[in-house]
Amino acid sequence: MNEQDEYVEKTKRLLKSYNALRVTLANQEARIQLKKYELGLGEAAPISKYGDAPRGGSQELNAVEKAAARRITIEETIGRLQAEAQKTRYAIDTVDRCLRALPTDEQALVREHYFDCLDWRSIGESRHYSERWARQRGHEAVERIARMIFWGVQQMELDFLLEE
């Protein structure tokens, strides 16, 4: 398999997972909101007691330290979740940008096959064309999307060739 075919296969996998990515992003954002809510709840840290007792305040300080450790853990979790959501959002936005760059009829082919899970025969029939026509046009659209996504890689290769 050559490199271009590899890019096309990666693009097909990305398109096939588009709906799942949208659900994943929604779930990630919901988890972030839940963690922020937990962070907002906080814990009332007790006030330290100082008095005549030789061990006054030791339990309260442990509770304060425990609350601080919990807060740090939640903040770290929020940061990790936000980073994961950003990667997911980037993948979705990449597909959306590429689709917008295609002609309307090619956008529809890609959406119907990869997002709506229609087979090429049904897509061709709905447009009064053959399955072969739908498959070929869909493949051309996916190749264009792959070039848009992986243009940087291909461009670096072109730059290398032009420098010689």
Side-chain angles (χ1 to χ4, degrees):
M1 179 181 284
N2 69 26
E3 200 167 26
Q4 178 124 5
D5 291 340
E6 197 174 311
Y7 293 149
V8 169
E9 288 305 312
K10 285 181 181 181
T11 302
K12 285 179 181 179
R13 284 194 306 274
L14 177 61
L15 292 171
K16 287 177 183 177
S17 65
Y18 181 82
N19 290 332
L21 286 171
R22 292 184 67 82
V23 171
T24 299
L25 179 60
N27 288 337
Q28 288 168 329
E29 290 173 343
R31 279 195 297 269
I32 290 167
Q33 291 307 313
L34 178 63
K35 289 297 179 183
K36 285 182 177 180
Y37 175 74
E38 285 179 26
L39 194 59
L41 289 177
E43 292 180 19
I47 299 172
S48 297
K49 297 187 282 185
Y50 298 101
D52 296 342
R55 299 180 67 192
S58 64
Q59 287 181 332
E60 289 81 4
L61 289 178
N62 286 339
V64 170
E65 291 167 352
K66 197 183 301 184
R70 182 178 176 277
R71 181 174 185 81
I72 290 169
T73 300
I74 292 172
E75 287 172 346
E76 288 171 351
T77 301
I78 290 171
R80 183 181 47 77
L81 290 171
Q82 287 174 329
E84 290 172 8
Q86 187 60 33
K87 288 179 186 176
T88 306
R89 191 175 297 108
Y90 174 78
I92 292 168
D93 291 347
T94 298
V95 171
D96 290 342
R97 279 190 302 274
C98 291
L99 282 176
R100 284 192 302 269
L102 294 176
T104 308
D105 59 330
E106 290 182 6
Q107 287 180 34
L109 285 171
V110 170
R111 288 181 191 283
E112 289 174 8
H113 182 70
Y114 292 99
F115 302 171
D116 300 337
C117 301
L118 296 176
D119 61 24
W120 293 119
R121 185 182 53 76
S122 302
I123 295 169
E125 286 176 1
S126 71
R127 288 177 167 60
H128 308 291
Y129 289 106
S130 68
E131 174 183 351
R132 183 172 175 256
W133 176 89
R135 183 183 309 279
Q136 186 175 0
R137 290 291 306 265
H139 184 72
E140 290 169 4
V142 171
E143 284 180 337
R144 275 203 255 312
I145 292 171
R147 283 194 300 272
M148 288 182 234
I149 292 173
F150 297 104
W151 175 257
V153 174
Q154 293 172 350
Q155 187 62 40
M156 286 188 299
E157 292 168 4
L158 289 174
D159 289 345
F160 176 74
L161 293 174
L162 294 173
E163 289 176 1
E164 291 180 359

